[in-house]
Amino acid sequence: MAGSHGIYLKSAAELAIMRKGGLMLEQVLQEVAAAAVEGTTTAELDRIAFSRIKAMKAKPAFKGLYGFPATLCTSFNEEVVHGIPGKRKLQVGDILSIDCGLIYNGFYADSAITVAVGEISAEARRLMDVTFESLWKGIHAAQPGGRVSDIGAAIEEHVRAAGFHPTDNYTGHGVGRQLHEEPKVFNSALPRGPRLVPGMTLAVEPMINIGTSAAVELSDGWTVVTKDRSLSAHFEHTIAITQTGVEVLTCSNPR
Ligand code: MG
Ligand code: MG
């Protein structure tokens, strides 16, 4: 059903499909995370994700979208988002953001995690923890009758209190029949955005940096890095606004 602001509201039947796809995606990310150990290449992680998605009779969402070549976006350390899987091996001390999407029965699910390879610095650990916490603060701030910006305000408040920075110009988004639908879900208190109403499905995805909010794209035309090359972390879930609150479609064990 078309809502206001070009937002497509999902029916109960559509939400049931998205819930199923969301839990498939959770499984894929868990398997990829388990394989993200020292010496593994990101291309290997990508193959695992591709074959798991195929085995589930779903489709990878990113491959071919806007010309992206892979199933996963894999972003190391100072890379914020959209890193392309390849021959680079994971090394102890790295943090790696792994973003994956799939299409199940015509509907998209979108989720991302950041994993640590072996022992990482205390600062990297704190960035990961704060980013993860900010995702859940944003999710719980999403209530029917509120505003989309309630999500971003909760994320930004938590991140700024820790001395970190949401990445400029990269946002979450509506998700459903398309990977990227209206509205944009900013990781900041402004702009205010439309009202949250039941049936809205959103990808909430704080992309948080240690040193700066500024990010630049590398010459590969995809990989986004922090301008000061400080570390960046990323967590994402697909959520649905319900009559009474919020449901996390890509997580079987919500906080
Ligand atoms: Mg994503
Ligand atoms: Mg997304």
Side-chain angles (χ1 to χ4, degrees), residues 99 110 173 180 203 205 236:
D99 194 348
D110 190 8
H173 47 91
H180 296 126
E205 50 177 317
E236 176 179 29

Side-chain angles (χ1 to χ4, degrees), residues 28 31-32 35-52 63 68-76 79 83-91 96-100:
V28 173
E31 288 188 32
V32 171
V37 296
E38 185 185 11
T40 308
T41 66
T42 49
E44 284 162 2
L45 298 180
D46 197 68
R47 277 194 289 277
I48 291 168
F50 181 79
S51 61
R52 277 306 284 147
K63 212 177 170 75
F68 191 77
T71 299
L72 299 176
C73 296
T74 50
S75 306
F76 281 96
E79 297 171 359
I84 301 170
K87 291 179 187 153
R88 181 167 173 182
K89 287 182 175 165
L90 279 58
Q91 294 186 329
L96 181 74
S97 125
I98 303 167
D99 194 348
C100 189

Side-chain angles (χ1 to χ4, degrees), residues 8 10-26 56-59 102-110 175-178 199 201 238-240 247-251:
Y8 181 83
K10 281 71 177 181
S11 67
E14 291 169 336
L15 285 174
I17 295 169
M18 289 187 70
R19 190 175 294 125
K20 234 174 146 178
L23 295 181
M24 289 177 175
L25 180 55
E26 180 186 36
M56 291 168 163
K57 309 278 182 239
K59 286 183 224 158
L102 62 74
I103 310 165
Y104 171 69
N105 216 345
F107 286 86
Y108 284 77
D110 190 8
V175 56
R177 285 191 186 277
Q178 306 293 331
T201 47
T238 297
I239 67 170
E247 180 183 353
V248 187
L249 301 173
T250 46
C251 181

Side-chain angles (χ1 to χ4, degrees), residues 10 39 47 104 109 125 129 136 142 184 216:
K10 281 71 177 181
R47 277 194 289 277
Y104 171 69
R125 173 58 61 190
D129 289 348
W136 284 99
K184 282 190 161 70
V216 292

Side-chain angles (χ1 to χ4, degrees), residues 7 22 38 61 111 122-123 135 140 156 168 192:
I7 295 165
E38 185 185 11
S111 185
E123 199 179 34
L135 169 61
H140 291 303
E156 184 173 27
D168 287 343
R192 189 167 72 146

